[in-house]
Amino acid sequence: KYNRYNYNTTNHLGQATFVFATGLAGLALAFVVFGYMLRHGETILKTTIVFTTTMCLGVAVVGLFIGERFMCIAGLVGFGVASMYMNMMWRRIPFTAINLSVAISAIRDNMGLFLGASLVSLVGFVWMGVLVTAGINAYTRYGFWKTVPFALFSYYWTHQVLTNVLVVATAGIIGRWSVIGEKSPTFGRGMKEALTRARTYSFGSICFGSLFVGIYQSIQGMSDFLWSKRIPCLPNLLDRILRKINYVVHELNEWAYVYVGLYGYSYTSAAKNTTELFRNKGWDDIVDNYLATNIMFMASMAVGLLTATCGLAFGVFEYKIMWSSGFTNPTTDGFLVGFLVGFLMSSILLSVVTATVNTLVICLAEQPVRFKVNHPELSNKLEGAWSQMMEDAHSDMS
């Protein structure tokens, strides 16, 4: 039987080949999803939710039939998460669709954002190759516990930082488009300045927020879902964890990155200001359960699963390369690394959409008159959606 231990040295070319193949697949799929969203933004919501949920269940079934326990467990966990999001989001799809359609109109006027997102995605692609190569070599030398937890933490934090650099830059571009009508159709001076500010002046705030926000939002979403299902005990435990995090950081929300991009605030000041803004507008309950981020998360998960399938196929058909490259289980490792690569590529690229939606909502709340002067039709459309949502929320409470 062919065994990787027949090799005295690790095949670095094989590692590069695998990462390049999966990264290219993830990047191509992310571009396809982004392009489809620009053309058919309002119809992609239900498609994304149903496809991702079905895909997760399919991965679990395939993993069960081929005897890959990790793949089966990952598919079941993904199916549970996707089902939770489906349950939370289905009623608000029309509201989210209007927000998304307005955001897509803004992106079409500022296609320089797409070029900037492509650049950041390529940076993520190169970094992922370095992480996989370094991680495999460290794993073969130091073992699981001295390598994998640190590699996963590095993946999480770097992924968040790259994504939020793009979010902050997007907020600056869309803010100027909303308030003064300035467009960035190419990767010109405006986009370059926005990216430069994000990776220099605002970089400390981005790194600080990126360390906590993703974890906080995941725990908060799970807690809200469990409370809605009246499940005892566990929601109380999750809420205690959230209070501990809030005690350390005081304010945490994804909207803060918009203020960082618009005004150059520190993360904590930006989070405090956005919280006060929404509280004064009476929108705090709505933004706590806002769906744009969840939709983009599910789209990224779908791309990640498709890329994971490519990684699995690579592990099946090119198992000699995988073994010689240091992968102890070609199929499982191919599936896992493929998912991480695809999720990274797509979530970075699609963060432009989330950032655009969030920035437009902030501009509507803070400077509705100037927004309406520059873009009356889009402003009326967005304002109508939020007014209707407020009425529905008050009706549910009464």
Side-chain angles (χ1 to χ4, degrees):
K1 184 178 178 180
Y2 194 89
N3 192 298
R4 74 181 183 93
Y5 296 109
N6 294 338
Y7 287 79
N8 295 322
T9 58
T10 302
N11 182 2
H12 297 293
L13 180 60
Q15 295 172 355
T17 302
F18 171 68
V19 173
F20 179 79
T22 53
L24 196 61
L27 202 57
L29 289 168
F31 282 142
V32 169
V33 172
F34 190 85
Y36 183 85
M37 195 170 290
L38 289 180
R39 290 178 175 270
H40 311 283
E42 295 191 19
T43 62
I44 201 174
L45 299 180
K46 289 185 179 180
T47 304
T48 299
I49 295 172
V50 174
F51 177 78
T52 305
T53 307
T54 307
M55 185 76 180
C56 290
L57 185 60
V59 166
V61 173
V62 171
L64 180 65
F65 273 101
I66 66 176
E68 287 290 341
R69 288 179 295 178
F70 176 82
M71 186 177 174
C72 182
I73 294 171
L76 290 175
V77 171
F79 177 73
V81 173
S83 300
M84 179 185 74
Y85 277 120
M86 178 186 287
N87 185 274
M88 293 169 59
M89 292 186 291
W90 200 260
R91 287 181 55 209
R92 291 190 175 186
I93 284 179
F95 167 70
T96 307
I98 294 174
N99 284 263
L100 189 59
S101 67
V102 175
I104 287 171
S105 298
I107 293 173
R108 287 173 182 156
D109 283 347
N110 298 275
M111 285 303 292
L113 290 171
F114 173 74
L115 299 175
S118 301
L119 178 62
V120 178
S121 297
L122 289 175
V123 172
F125 175 55
V126 173
W127 169 81
M128 191 68 196
V130 173
L131 178 66
V132 170
T133 301
I136 292 172
N137 294 330
Y139 175 78
T140 56
R141 184 172 182 179
Y142 299 109
F144 182 89
W145 292 109
K146 291 183 179 180
T147 304
V148 175
F150 297 101
L152 290 177
F153 176 75
S154 175
Y155 174 87
Y156 161 76
W157 198 6
T158 307
H159 165 244
Q160 291 290 310
V161 169
L162 290 174
T163 300
N164 290 323
V165 163
L166 190 56
V167 168
V168 169
T170 301
I173 295 295
I174 297 299
R176 294 176 68 85
W177 175 85
S178 303
V179 176
I180 65 177
E182 180 182 306
K183 298 181 181 180
S184 296
T186 62
F187 191 73
R189 180 179 177 184
M191 190 66 206
K192 291 177 182 177
E193 289 180 351
L195 279 174
T196 300
R197 285 196 303 271
R199 57 190 174 86
T200 53
Y201 181 77
S202 300
F203 194 65
S205 296
I206 292 170
C207 292
F208 177 78
S210 298
L211 184 60
F212 297 102
V213 172
I215 298 172
Y216 185 87
Q217 286 181 327
S218 300
I219 297 174
Q220 188 178 45
M222 189 177 298
S223 175
D224 291 342
F225 175 76
L226 293 175
W227 278 118
S228 68
K229 297 301 180 183
R230 303 182 184 278
I231 297 176
C233 301
L234 187 56
N236 291 313
L237 175 62
L238 295 177
D239 286 348
R240 290 186 66 180
I241 295 174
L242 292 175
R243 285 195 295 270
K244 292 292 185 182
I245 297 176
N246 264 325
Y247 177 77
V248 175
V249 188
H250 302 297
E251 292 284 352
L252 278 174
N253 62 72
E254 64 175 308
W255 304 88
Y257 295 113
V258 176
Y259 261 45
V260 173
L262 290 176
Y263 306 117
Y265 287 179
S266 67
Y267 179 83
T268 51
S269 298
K272 182 178 179 181
N273 277 278
T274 52
T275 300
E276 291 178 354
L277 173 66
F278 289 133
R279 186 179 296 123
N280 293 335
K281 295 285 292 186
W283 293 0
D284 45 337
D285 289 335
I286 299 177
V287 299
D288 283 345
N289 298 289
Y290 200 45
L291 304 183
T293 303
N294 297 336
I295 291 291
M296 295 305 110
F297 172 78
M298 293 194 72
S300 299
M301 187 186 294
V303 173
L305 287 171
L306 290 172
T307 312
T309 305
C310 296
L312 176 68
F314 192 96
V316 171
F317 294 106
E318 299 292 343
Y319 62 92
K320 292 183 179 181
I321 293 178
M322 296 289 284
W323 260 325
S324 66
S325 299
F327 293 100
T328 56
N329 189 328
T331 52
T332 300
D333 294 345
F335 178 85
L336 175 61
V337 176
F339 175 82
L340 293 176
V341 172
F343 184 81
L344 177 77
M345 297 291 100
S346 56
S347 57
I348 290 175
L349 196 63
L350 295 179
S351 66
V352 169
V353 181
T354 305
T356 301
V357 174
N358 290 355
T359 305
L360 291 175
V361 171
I362 291 285
C363 291
L364 178 68
E366 194 171 47
Q367 301 191 44
V369 175
R370 299 184 70 177
F371 186 18
K372 182 171 289 189
V373 167
N374 289 294
H375 310 283
E377 184 178 347
L378 296 177
S379 175
N380 290 334
K381 191 176 181 180
L382 193 61
E383 188 174 1
W386 279 83
S387 299
Q388 183 62 47
M389 193 64 196
M390 286 290 294
E391 293 178 9
D392 295 342
H394 290 152
S395 299
D396 293 341
M397 291 176 63
S398 60

